[in-house]
């Protein structure tokens, strides 16, 4: 089996093990009357995901909600197992200071919380899902596998959600800015957008009448890859953006802290399509960069960016795995070469750098030592930067051999370390103090 289908098959098997199920979307509660159903690669996006024309003022305010059927759900004495889910739309603020609607999901667990204090809440920031609205993590909770001949979407993040629920931890999942919602493009790996979406998801969950969590509940953040970047950024921005959301602990796995290095690494890799998602997101956030893009990106590149804007991870693996960005430029330069040649791009990426601020609360940074997709070195650098600022950092190098596939080198640490990461986070949610191994960084791989 060639590399791309083999990797995708592994992901599909994982999704099927969670119980793929085709369930019609519930009708949205739409008091605004201006929502409309749209279609992305043959998938109908429910009207729920179309934001209203006017948004509330306060960040984290619920805009609408509706029951969300989980694909894997069993009847229980006190309700469905592992919990009862609610689809959410809430208000946030984007990197330009503009109001934005974000969707997600809250799951109230059936299991009892056995730790110290009231039931805690964890905000799960999904790893890379894609850029098409049909890829949103909240939809993946209902449809873990979409395979319709036009798109391939795998809800691999469901695994971490269910593992947290089984421990009695309430979970809120964000779809991020522009993923799911039909009014704009997803701003993939945008530091501020991702952080705000995560923190405002906590606020939205706490305001649900059906939720057992309150402002007294301890809060944790959990994310890997794109999600690790979002939780890392959220931990940095929490004191200034959301002082009402104190953090008991943050897990940031394989965080893309330095996008200049990550951009170079993913070019020509299994997940080269993520380069297109990054460029699309940059242009969504900063339209002033458009003249630079027009100067360099050729017709093939423009077609690729448009194509990728509606793709999920599976689609990108099939369509663009192994491709080089040199085929997208008029000059034959790679995107990394273009960044080095353009100060405006360098400045934009410098603003996206994570590690310049001290994170709130204890943080756990995990990175696979063989990860060459989201390079190990820049993730380790984040831990070093945070240690230098006096943060309480637990650094975990995941020692696995490289296997020749960037995607597998990146994905394997997620599965290998996930149980330990969840245990570390639930300890923090129980009030157990976290240690720090910053003293050992000089000898850590």
């Amino acid at each position: 089996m060639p590399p791309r289908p083999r990797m995708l098959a592994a992901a599909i098997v994982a999704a099927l093990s969670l119980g793929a199920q085709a369930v019609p979307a519930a009708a949205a509660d739409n008091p605004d009357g201006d929502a409309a159903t749209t279609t992305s690669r043959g998938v109908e996006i429910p009207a729920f995901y179309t934001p209203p024309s006017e948004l509330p003022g306060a960040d984290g305010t619920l805009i609408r909600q509706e029951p969300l059927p989980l694909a894997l759900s069993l009847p229980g004495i006190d309700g469905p197992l592992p919990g009862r889910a609610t689809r959410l739309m809430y208000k946030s603020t984007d990197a330009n200071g503009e109001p934005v609607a974000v969707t997600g999901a809250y799951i109230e667990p059936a299991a009892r919380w056995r730790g110290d204090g009231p039931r805690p809440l964890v905000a799960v920031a999904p790893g890379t899902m894609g850029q098409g609205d049909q890829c949103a993590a909240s939809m993946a909770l209902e449809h873990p596998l979409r395979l319709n001949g036009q798109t391939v979407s795998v809800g691999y993040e469901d695994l971490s959600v269910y593992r947290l629920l089984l421990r009695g931890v309430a979970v809120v999942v964000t779809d991020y800015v522009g993923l799911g919602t039909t009014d704009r493009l997803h701003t993939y790996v945008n530091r501020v957008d991702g952080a705000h979406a995560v923190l405002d998801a906590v606020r939205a969950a706490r305001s649900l009448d059906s939720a057992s969590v309150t402002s007294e509940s301890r809060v944790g953040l959990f994310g890997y890859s794109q999600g690790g970047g979002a939780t890392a950024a959220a931990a940095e921005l929490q004191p200034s953006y959301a002082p009402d959301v104190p953090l008991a602990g943050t897990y940031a796995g394989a965080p893309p802290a330095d996008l200049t290095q990550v951009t170079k690494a993913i070019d020509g890799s299994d997940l080269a399509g993520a380069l297109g998602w990054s460029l699309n997101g940059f242009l969504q956030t900063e339209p002033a960069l458009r003249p630079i893009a027009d100067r360099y990106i050729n017709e093939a590149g423009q077609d690729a960016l448009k194509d990728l804007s509606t793709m999920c991870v599976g689609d990108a693996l099939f369509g663009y795995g192994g491709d080089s960005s040199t085929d997208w430029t008029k000059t034959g330069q790679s995107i990394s070469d273009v960044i080095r040649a353009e100060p405006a791009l360098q400045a934009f990426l410098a603003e996206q750098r994570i590690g310049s601020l001290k994170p709130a609360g204890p943080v756990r940074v995990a990175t696979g030592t063989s990860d060459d997709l989201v390079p190990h070195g820049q993730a380790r650098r984040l831990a070093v930067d945070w240690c230098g600022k006096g943060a309480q950092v637990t650094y975990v190098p995941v020692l696995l051999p490289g296997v020749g596939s960037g995607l597998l080198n990146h994905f394997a640490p997620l599965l290998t370390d996930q149980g330990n990461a969840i245990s570390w986070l639930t300890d923090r949610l129980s009030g157990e103090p976290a240690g720090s191994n910053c003293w050992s960084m000089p000898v850590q791989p």
Side-chain angles (χ1 to χ4, degrees), residues 9 135 145 202 268:
C135 318
L145 174 65
V202 173

Side-chain angles (χ1 to χ4, degrees), residues 85-134:
T86 303
R87 202 187 318 263
L88 309 175
M89 179 182 285
Y90 58 93
K91 188 263 182 180
S92 190
T93 297
D94 69 15
N96 294 321
E98 297 297 325
V100 61
V102 181
T103 53
Y106 171 79
I107 308 98
E108 177 76 19
R112 184 164 64 92
W113 167 244
R114 299 182 182 277
D116 180 61
R119 187 191 299 279
L121 174 65
V122 166
V124 171
T128 296
M129 305 298 289
Q131 203 158 45
D133 288 329
Q134 78 279 11

Side-chain angles (χ1 to χ4, degrees), residues 26-379:
D29 175 17
N30 180 27
D32 309 285
D34 54 1
T37 298
T38 62
T39 302
S40 180
R41 290 190 177 264
V43 176
E44 185 177 280
I45 309 301
F48 184 96
Y49 289 85
T50 298
S53 55
E54 294 185 10
L55 300 179
D59 291 320
T61 300
L62 273 172
I63 298 171
R64 61 174 71 123
Q65 59 180 288
E66 68 174 15
L68 171 63
L70 296 175
L72 181 58
S73 184
L74 299 173
I77 296 175
D78 298 320
L81 302 172
R84 192 181 303 276
T86 303
R87 202 187 318 263
L88 309 175
M89 179 182 285
Y90 58 93
K91 188 263 182 180
S92 190
T93 297
D94 69 15
N96 294 321
E98 297 297 325
V100 61
V102 181
T103 53
Y106 171 79
I107 308 98
E108 177 76 19
R112 184 164 64 92
W113 167 244
R114 299 182 182 277
D116 180 61
R119 187 191 299 279
L121 174 65
V122 166
V124 171
T128 296
M129 305 298 289
Q131 203 158 45
D133 288 329
Q134 78 279 11
C135 318
S138 64
M139 295 188 201
L141 288 166
E142 184 177 2
H143 304 286
L145 174 65
R146 290 192 190 271
L147 185 62
N148 66 357
Q150 298 183 56
T151 191
V152 179
S153 177
V154 179
Y156 62 88
E157 204 64 73
D158 294 1
L159 179 60
S160 62
V161 171
Y162 277 59
R163 293 179 80 164
L164 287 162
L165 293 173
L166 291 175
R167 292 178 178 239
V169 176
V171 175
V172 64
V173 182
T174 181
D175 290 334
Y176 298 124
V177 173
L179 191 58
T181 48
T182 57
D183 62 332
R184 64 175 65 198
L185 200 60
H186 171 42
T187 47
Y188 181 68
V189 296
N190 182 288
R191 178 180 68 93
V192 175
D193 281 10
H196 288 184
V198 168
L199 294 168
D200 286 326
V202 173
R203 289 165 160 161
R206 294 194 308 201
S207 69
L208 274 171
D209 291 337
S210 59
S212 61
V213 297
T214 69
S215 59
E216 302 302 314
S217 298
R218 293 189 178 100
V219 175
L221 308 181
F222 186 96
Y224 187 88
S225 192
Q226 179 186 2
T231 58
E236 288 192 342
L237 295 181
Q238 180 272 331
S240 59
Y241 182 75
D244 56 312
V245 185
L247 300 177
T250 296
Y251 164 64
D258 185 340
L259 294 187
T260 299
Q261 291 190 35
V262 176
T263 296
K264 184 177 181 179
I266 63 177
D267 200 345
S269 74
D270 304 322
L271 200 56
L275 184 58
W277 297 330
S278 301
L279 293 175
N280 283 334
F282 298 163
L283 295 174
Q284 169 75 41
T285 296
E286 186 50 80
L289 298 176
R290 175 64 65 179
I292 298 176
D294 291 341
R295 191 159 65 249
Y296 284 98
I297 304 299
N298 61 22
E299 185 175 354
Q302 296 286 358
D303 290 344
L305 295 184
K306 182 178 180 181
D307 193 27
L308 283 159
S309 70
T310 59
M311 281 188 167
C312 299
V313 171
D315 311 322
L317 288 175
F318 275 127
Y320 294 93
D323 287 4
S324 171
S325 66
T326 56
D327 295 329
W328 294 357
T329 62
K330 299 173 183 177
T331 61
Q333 294 171 279
S334 69
I335 296 300
S336 291
D337 291 335
V338 172
I339 291 171
R340 284 192 292 270
E342 294 291 338
L345 290 175
Q346 295 172 33
F348 180 84
L349 292 181
E351 292 175 357
Q352 298 298 321
R353 178 73 180 267
I354 306 170
S356 61
L357 299 172
K358 180 181 177 181
V363 292
R364 183 181 191 271
V365 179
T367 165
T369 56
S370 296
D371 192 342
D372 49 0
L373 193 67
V374 178
H376 164 69
Q378 58 86 45

